[in-house]
């Protein structure tokens, strides 16, 4: 069965829902249906077209969901750019680096880990930043975004009715 694309009140793609969940949200009046599939879901008392794209009615302030701390998300935050030599690299040439080396008590956290190319990483080794010529491209922070759709959605295989709503997101994921 088809899935449903959920948009925020501001038309931003949020996530992909199982159609049952989407139908529930529609019936509860939580979302507005923007696009429908031809196929219908039927129960003894009614039939409604399967929602293809739905949009939340309200700006929902959810508990701030934290971005998963992972290698991919570090690269994404740093835009695949080595924070030491300030150059973009393919993922195969990227690694991550502890700014304050682990051996000196540096922790594995958003603020102490940056994207580094393999070369800079080797050059830096266990030396503290202050002894090198490196200047960080930007101060590393815990990201606020959730890179859900932009990273995981394969736009080519997404239902065609979704495309208009994916807009720039698809361009972004192709570039990455
Ligand atoms: Zn580098």
């Amino acid at each position: 069965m088809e899935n449903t694309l959920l948009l925020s009140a501001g038309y931003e793609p949020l996530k992909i829902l199982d159609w049952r969940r989407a139908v529930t949200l529609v019936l509860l009046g939580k979302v507005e249906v923007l696009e429908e599939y031809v196929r219908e879901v039927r129960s003894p008392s009614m039939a409604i077209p399967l929602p293809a794209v739905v949009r939340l009615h309200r700006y929902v302030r959810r508990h701030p969901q934290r971005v998963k701390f992972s290698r991919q998300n570090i690269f994404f935050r740093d835009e695949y750019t080595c924070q030491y030599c300030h150059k973009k690299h393919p993922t195969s040439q990227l690694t991550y680096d502890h700014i304050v080396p682990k051996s000196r008590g540096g922790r594995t956290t958003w603020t102490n880990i940056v994207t580094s190319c393999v070369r800079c990483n080797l050059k830096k080794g266990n030396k503290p930043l202050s002894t090198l010529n490196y200047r960080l491209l930007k101060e590393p922070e815990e990201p606020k975004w959730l890179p859900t759709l932009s990273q995981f959605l394969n736009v080519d295989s997404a239902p065609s009715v979704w495309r208009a709503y994916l807009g720039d997101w698809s361009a972004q994921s192709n570039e990455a």
Side-chain angles (χ1 to χ4, degrees), residues 41-103:
V41 263
R42 288 163 192 281
S43 76
S45 55
M46 57 164 196
I48 64 166
L50 266 186
V53 180
V54 296
R55 170 178 167 253
L56 285 171
H57 279 307
R58 291 190 299 162
Y59 288 88
V60 187
R61 273 246 162 259
R62 280 175 299 180
H63 296 291
Q65 241 176 311
R66 309 191 80 181
V67 178
K68 192 174 153 226
F69 184 72
S70 71
R71 199 179 144 93
Q72 269 315 313
N73 285 344
I74 294 273
F75 293 168
F76 195 74
R77 177 196 67 183
D78 295 339
E79 298 173 61
Y80 302 85
T81 304
C82 172
Q83 298 298 293
Y84 298 131
C85 68
H86 306 182
K87 285 190 195 116
K88 258 189 204 268
H89 295 275
T91 318
S92 61
Q93 284 167 43
L94 289 177
T95 180
Y96 60 86
D97 188 68
H98 288 77
I99 302 172
V100 178
K102 263 171 125 172
S103 59

Side-chain angles (χ1 to χ4, degrees), residues 135-170:
R135 226 191 49 245
L136 285 174
L137 190 56
K138 58 176 194 256
E139 207 51 48
E141 288 176 349
E142 177 169 347
K144 307 276 185 296
W145 41 254
L146 287 170
T148 44
L149 280 175
S150 61
Q151 279 194 309
F152 303 116
L153 193 64
N154 180 354
V155 177
D156 295 332
S157 63
S160 51
V161 284
W162 291 11
R163 302 255 166 92
Y165 301 92
L166 296 173
D168 293 339
W169 293 70
S170 59

Side-chain angles (χ1 to χ4, degrees), residues 82-87 89 115-121 134:
C82 172
Q83 298 298 293
Y84 298 131
C85 68
H86 306 182
K87 285 190 195 116
H89 295 275
T115 302
S116 163
C117 69
V118 176
R119 228 174 123 225
C120 290
N121 182 256
Y134 288 144

